Amino acid sequence: MIDTVMTPRISACRALAFGAALACAALPVAGQKKQPELVKPMAGPRATVLRITPLYISPDTGSQRVDRVQVGREMVVAEKSGPWVRVYANTDVQEQQENDRDAPMVGGDEVPPPISGWMQANGVVEESTPDADKIIMGAAVNEETLASNPRGPANAAQSARMLYRRVVEMFPNSPLAPEAAWRAADIQWQIQKTDASTLPSAHEKSAVFRQGMDEDELRKVIKYYPRTRWAALAAFDLIDNKLCGDWQGSAQCPEKEADLYLKYANEYPDGPRTARALYEAVYRFAVLKDMYAADGNDRKTSDALNQAHSILAQLKAHFADSDYSLRAGALAYKLDQGVPVFGVDME
């Protein structure tokens, strides 16, 4: 996947990864832990909707409108009447009351009681719909792709997130559930990360003085799907909460961050973010080389240069085809040529 930050964030490669996920739909998920059993309301099957749908007091578009149900909202189908279904549904107002820090993906906090009403059945996907998990997952990927388009709907990322959550909640044993859980958690993380970056505290050097992102959903991905690529992706996101906001010229920040990325690479040696983690470590040692040189500390300057080359060798050995290997090589070349990578404006 391509690492980009969105408001909301989207990775274009996810659409391609989705095709691969469907191809593996019949395969068990390695290392997946059994999740808590969901208690289904007695009113009827769980469902969601793929389009913004009005909710009426009776099965007639001329009747009073109760509200409208947004894409991906949780519903329970109570009864059917021709092309209409009566549902208990969370509306957009109720979902917003969760204030972006939604209840856990499986079980958890109480939410406002759902609103009952009638809606047209087209666009409704029930848990009994053939290939319902794939249909909802595909709709989520479409919404997430729309979110990467500057002209796309403003709420596309949240719609994608809610649809991914429906896959996890309605089909916890689906082979698509781990991917959906990761994507739902990551979308929330990136939205919160973008919001946090606009606050004055974002420039604080120490992470303890900055507003961090809610780690709950990412940690659930690691808990329920240990030793999988989704756990590795979640663990990489979590590093964000430990990084310095602004280095403020202090060597302590790149030193700490280099250790964080190397620790991650050791824990997930073949993970989908390992090459990036190693590159981030090379960059920080390159910065440290310049910082130490500016302070006249020859020993530490030499050590940082050697560390950068050592990690570069690891990148080339295990991720030779990665862009991060090429980028790290370019950094090392600059170091060897005496070209600063930090404080360039002071050169």
Side-chain angles (χ1 to χ4, degrees):
M1 296 183 186
I2 299 174
D3 294 302
T4 57
V5 176
M6 68 172 184
T7 315
R9 185 186 70 87
I10 293 299
S11 170
C13 285
R14 286 184 172 175
L16 298 177
F18 173 61
L22 292 185
C24 298
L27 300 177
V29 179
Q32 180 175 340
K33 287 187 177 180
K34 184 177 181 180
Q35 298 196 38
E37 292 293 330
L38 295 170
V39 179
K40 184 171 63 179
M42 297 300 294
R46 296 166 68 95
T48 191
V49 65
L50 306 185
R51 63 185 180 93
I52 299 174
T53 308
L55 197 65
Y56 298 94
I57 198 168
S58 62
D60 182 355
T61 56
S63 65
Q64 180 182 345
R65 181 181 294 188
V66 177
D67 212 318
R68 62 179 189 171
V69 179
Q70 294 289 333
V71 174
R73 264 35 184 190
E74 181 182 31
M75 306 187 306
V76 173
V77 176
E79 63 178 297
K80 300 179 181 180
S81 177
W84 291 80
V85 292
R86 185 167 68 89
V87 301
Y88 292 97
N90 290 329
T91 65
D92 54 338
V93 174
Q94 289 172 305
E95 291 286 355
Q96 287 170 5
Q97 288 176 348
E98 296 181 22
N99 195 27
D100 287 340
R101 297 198 173 187
D102 300 313
M105 290 178 291
V106 178
D109 302 337
E110 293 182 1
V111 296
I115 293 176
S116 177
W118 289 87
M119 66 166 54
Q120 293 173 310
N122 54 326
V124 174
V125 181
E126 299 180 32
E127 57 187 348
S128 59
T129 301
D131 291 330
D133 56 339
K134 297 178 184 178
I135 293 170
I136 299 172
M137 187 77 170
V141 174
N142 286 336
E143 291 291 332
E144 193 175 4
T145 303
L146 286 173
S148 66
N149 186 341
R151 299 180 181 179
N155 63 342
Q158 283 290 8
S159 295
R161 168 171 156 72
M162 300 311 297
L163 286 164
Y164 287 135
R165 284 165 58 94
R166 298 293 85 80
V167 173
V168 178
E169 293 173 349
M170 293 169 64
F171 308 100
N173 297 320
S174 168
L176 298 176
E179 178 82 6
W182 145 247
R183 293 190 185 196
D186 184 56
I187 289 173
Q188 174 181 257
W189 186 264
Q190 300 303 334
I191 292 174
Q192 291 183 359
K193 181 178 177 180
T194 299
D195 290 343
S197 70
T198 65
L199 301 176
S201 61
H203 301 288
E204 292 288 344
K205 182 173 71 173
S206 175
V208 299
F209 297 115
R210 292 187 291 110
Q211 177 173 310
M213 286 68 75
D214 184 6
E215 299 184 353
D216 185 60
E217 286 199 19
L218 287 173
R219 293 199 177 279
K220 280 182 169 60
V221 173
I222 297 172
K223 176 181 178 180
Y224 291 128
Y225 313 109
R227 298 178 298 280
T228 65
R229 71 185 310 272
W230 301 286
L233 289 166
F236 187 84
D237 269 0
L238 289 171
I239 295 175
D240 289 336
N241 268 350
K242 300 177 182 178
L243 301 178
C244 293
D246 189 322
W247 289 348
Q248 300 176 10
S250 171
Q252 291 180 344
C253 284
E255 287 172 349
K256 171 188 173 182
E257 293 175 6
D259 287 342
L260 287 172
Y261 285 116
L262 288 177
K263 180 181 178 181
Y264 174 87
N266 288 333
E267 187 171 356
Y268 301 95
D270 301 310
R273 292 288 188 268
T274 305
R276 177 178 172 183
L278 291 172
Y279 166 78
E280 296 289 355
V282 170
Y283 173 71
R284 281 154 177 79
F285 279 115
V287 168
L288 287 169
K289 182 259 186 186
D290 290 339
M291 286 182 169
Y292 296 146
D295 291 339
N297 192 325
D298 294 339
R299 182 183 63 79
K300 284 191 173 183
T301 300
S302 178
D303 288 345
L305 181 61
N306 290 336
Q307 282 275 39
H309 276 289
S310 175
I311 301 169
L312 173 60
Q314 186 178 349
L315 258 172
K316 288 182 175 179
H318 298 284
F319 304 98
D321 296 331
S322 169
D323 285 351
Y324 291 111
S325 180
L326 297 174
R327 292 174 64 184
L331 274 178
Y333 180 79
K334 284 184 176 181
L335 292 178
D336 294 340
Q337 293 293 311
V339 178
V341 299
F342 180 77
V344 176
D345 57 330
M346 302 298 293
E347 184 180 3

